[in-house]
Amino acid sequence: VATGGSEPHLVDLQVAALDHIAQHPKCDDVTPRVIRNHTGDYSCELETATGTRPVWITTWIEGQLFAQLPHVDENHCHLLGATLGQITLALNNFSHQNAKRQLKWDLCQASWIERDMEAIEDTQLRHLVTDAYTDFERIETSLAKVRQGVIHNDANDYNLLVTATNKARHMRVIDFGDMCHSVIVGDVAIAAAYAGMHLSDPLQAIDSVVAGFHNCMELSDQELALVMPLIRMRLAVSVTNASIQ
C-alpha cells in the first residue's frame, strides 16, 4: 500500500521496471515479482480513511538484511556489485516516461545541497560536506558524458537481502521507490557508499563492489573516475537531508 500522497505514475514506473527485470534470464528471483490482479492489471487503487492510495502485490523475498549481517566481508561486497550489475543489464533496454523525474536523491541533481548546507550544525561535518560538494562541482560536467539509463538508485544496506546455503550466497534487491533515469555509475557509487560502512577498510569494500559490477557490466575509465566523488556526494546529500529534517 503506497504512502499517502504517492503519485500513481511513480508506482507505474516501479511496477513496469520490476516486470521488465523479471523477464531477464539472469535476474530470476533477484527482485520481487509483481502479481497481476483478477482484472489483469498490476496495480489498482484503494480507498482508505486518509484518501485513495495505489496498491500492488509482489512476491515475498527471503533473506537477512545486509545491514544486520553479523559479519560482512569482501565476498558480500563483490556479490552486491555483481547483483546490481545484473539488474542494470536487465534495465539496459528499459525506458519509461516517468523515469526522468525531479528527485533529490538523483546524484545528477545533487547540486541542491549547496543552498542547504548551513543546516548542518556540526562544523566539522559541514566542512566534510562542503569539501565533497566542491569535488562534485569539479566532476559535474563529466556526468553528461557517461552512460545513463534507468537505475535502482538506492541500493543501501536496508534494501538488500542475503541468503546463504552450503553452496553459495545469494543477494536480492528490494524497494524501487527512488529509481530514476540517471548515470549508471551512480548505482555503483550508492551501493559502495553503504557497503563501505561494514568493513574496517572502506576502500576494500568499495573496490569489491566496483569489481563485482565491472565483471557483469564493464565500466569505462571515465565512469571509474567518478565513483569516489559520487560516493562522497551521496553521503553529503544524506547528511544534508537529515540536517534539514
Side-chain angles (χ1 to χ4, degrees):
V1 181
T3 57
S6 294
E7 300 179 40
H9 69 276
L10 295 179
V11 175
D12 292 341
L13 169 61
Q14 294 177 61
V15 166
L18 287 171
D19 188 46
H20 187 87
I21 293 168
Q23 311 308 316
H24 195 275
K26 291 187 177 180
C27 283
D28 183 44
D29 202 29
V30 172
T31 60
R33 289 175 178 259
V34 186
I35 309 299
R36 291 183 185 270
N37 61 25
H38 68 282
T39 62
D41 297 318
Y42 279 131
S43 64
C44 59
E45 292 186 337
L46 178 71
E47 291 296 331
T48 73
T50 56
T52 304
R53 298 193 184 193
V55 178
W56 69 104
I57 297 175
T58 68
T59 53
W60 176 259
I61 294 293
E62 203 60 62
Q64 184 174 11
L65 287 172
F66 192 101
Q68 296 176 354
L69 291 174
H71 171 72
V72 173
D73 57 30
E74 292 175 65
N75 293 328
H76 284 105
C77 298
H78 192 279
L79 179 59
L80 165 55
T83 304
L84 205 55
Q86 290 171 355
I87 292 173
T88 306
L89 275 176
L91 290 171
N92 195 38
N93 60 346
F94 175 76
S95 62
H96 196 281
Q97 60 184 359
N98 301 320
K100 292 186 177 181
R101 50 189 288 212
Q102 288 293 117
L103 183 67
K104 64 184 176 183
W105 296 108
D106 176 8
L107 288 172
C108 288
Q109 301 177 42
S111 59
W112 68 265
I113 73 167
E114 182 184 20
R115 67 178 184 271
D116 290 307
M117 287 188 288
E118 289 303 315
I120 305 169
E121 295 180 0
D122 184 290
T123 304
Q124 185 178 7
L125 190 56
R126 187 168 64 249
H127 174 73
L128 289 170
V129 169
T130 303
D131 190 51
Y133 180 73
T134 300
D135 202 24
F136 176 76
E137 286 185 303
R138 178 183 60 80
I139 59 97
E140 193 170 7
T141 55
S142 301
L143 297 177
K145 301 175 184 177
V146 295
R147 290 176 299 174
Q148 298 195 6
V150 180
I151 63 173
H152 178 274
N153 199 46
D154 195 18
N156 72 67
D157 44 4
Y158 282 91
N159 287 338
L160 308 170
L161 291 161
V162 182
T163 56
T165 64
N166 292 331
K167 294 183 179 179
R169 288 172 176 156
H170 300 279
M171 191 166 296
R172 298 173 175 90
V173 181
I174 59 173
D175 191 353
F176 283 68
D178 281 343
M179 71 181 314
C180 64
H181 186 279
S182 188
V183 288
I184 285 173
V185 69
D187 241 3
V188 185
I190 292 166
Y194 292 93
M197 300 178 188
H198 290 272
L199 265 66
S200 57
D201 182 355
L203 292 177
Q204 200 171 50
I206 292 166
D207 188 55
S208 296
V209 171
V210 172
F213 189 96
H214 187 73
N215 285 351
C216 289
M217 189 173 191
E218 189 171 337
L219 294 164
S220 68
D221 289 345
Q222 291 78 13
E223 288 171 319
L224 289 169
L226 294 173
V227 171
M228 288 303 294
L230 289 179
I231 286 174
R232 298 179 69 207
M233 196 57 181
R234 169 66 181 205
L235 298 174
V237 168
S238 184
V239 168
T240 305
N241 186 65
S243 298
I244 293 168
Q245 290 180 335

